[in-house]
Amino acid sequence: MSFFGFSFKPRRATSAQTAKDRLQVLLAHERRGGSTAPDYLSHLQSEIVEVIRKYVEVDDEGVDIRMEKGQDVSCLEINIELPCGATAVRGTQS
Amino acid sequence: MSFFGFSFKPRRATSAQTAKDRLQVLLAHERRGGSTAPDYLSHLQSEIVEVIRKYVEVDDEGVDIRMEKGQDVSCLEINIELPCGATAVRGTQS
């Protein structure tokens, strides 16, 4: 399954995971040669999880965060398992 | 370049883009069979851009948002081009 510049490979869920929805967030900061832009992904990390919490119940144990810093690209992945029947916090019926 | 479940293919930048840093945000909401979870990606979209604006100057024209809704997976991609020398809004030197 390819979405734009990313190919999103649904992971083989273990049986325990099969009943769970999953929200994956990937941030990639690509710096051009000589760019002096600071690396702010680590700052964005907690705020993005807070934004998500406004819309869906998130269990701390269901949040997995990984960060990878390359020379030109820093990447942050946030994996959130949503317990089955995770209710929307705020009305999101659109 | 593969990061976790995604393979991030840096796009061939046009010359005009080469001087620009780029921030890509990808959200994928994977729903298990029978899940009745509402689709909240469209709600998350504007709030995540607002969080990013706290850390770096973002020019409206440099923001490209795409949404793709599949049966099991909805995906939101936010591409932000950061003008060269885009300064950090808040102190992020860590």
Side-chain angles (χ1 to χ4, degrees):
Chain A
M1 199 177 319
S2 174
F3 290 100
F4 321 118
F6 295 93
S7 66
F8 169 64
K9 290 190 240 37
R11 237 166 266 164
R12 270 185 321 283
T14 61
S15 59
Q17 290 172 329
T18 44
K20 295 184 180 171
D21 287 7
R22 180 170 54 145
L23 183 64
Q24 282 197 322
V25 183
L26 176 70
L27 286 104
H29 178 200
E30 193 180 9
R31 291 177 297 278
R32 296 299 170 191
S35 165
T36 55
D39 182 19
Y40 39 77
L41 292 192
S42 42
H43 296 270
L44 287 175
Q45 180 180 311
S46 47
E47 294 211 37
I48 284 182
V49 174
E50 286 320 306
V51 164
I52 292 168
R53 281 189 200 279
K54 289 184 190 174
Y55 292 95
V56 69
E57 280 169 52
V58 174
D59 176 1
D60 285 346
E61 271 148 42
V63 180
D64 173 48
I65 295 176
R66 298 185 220 182
M67 168 86 84
E68 197 161 327
K69 290 187 180 178
Q71 200 190 349
D72 298 326
V73 182
S74 300
C75 206
L76 168 69
E77 181 181 2
I78 304 171
N79 273 293
I80 301 176
E81 268 179 16
L82 305 171
C84 50
T87 48
V89 173
R90 225 202 270 175
T92 52
Q93 304 313 337
S94 55
Chain B
M1 202 178 318
S2 173
F3 290 100
F4 321 118
F6 296 94
S7 66
F8 168 65
K9 290 191 242 34
R11 236 167 267 162
R12 269 184 322 282
T14 61
S15 58
Q17 290 173 330
T18 44
K20 295 183 179 170
D21 288 6
R22 180 169 56 142
L23 185 63
Q24 281 198 322
V25 183
L26 176 71
L27 288 103
H29 178 200
E30 193 180 9
R31 290 177 297 278
R32 297 298 171 193
S35 164
T36 55
D39 182 20
Y40 38 78
L41 291 191
S42 43
H43 297 271
L44 287 175
Q45 179 180 309
S46 46
E47 293 212 37
I48 284 181
V49 173
E50 286 319 307
V51 166
I52 293 167
R53 281 189 201 277
K54 290 184 188 176
Y55 291 95
V56 69
E57 282 169 51
V58 174
D59 176 1
D60 284 347
E61 270 147 43
V63 180
D64 173 48
I65 295 176
R66 298 184 219 183
M67 170 85 86
E68 196 160 328
K69 290 187 181 175
Q71 201 190 345
D72 299 325
V73 181
S74 298
C75 207
L76 168 70
E77 181 180 3
I78 304 170
N79 274 292
I80 301 176
E81 266 179 17
L82 306 171
C84 51
T87 48
V89 174
R90 223 202 271 175
T92 51
Q93 302 314 337
S94 53

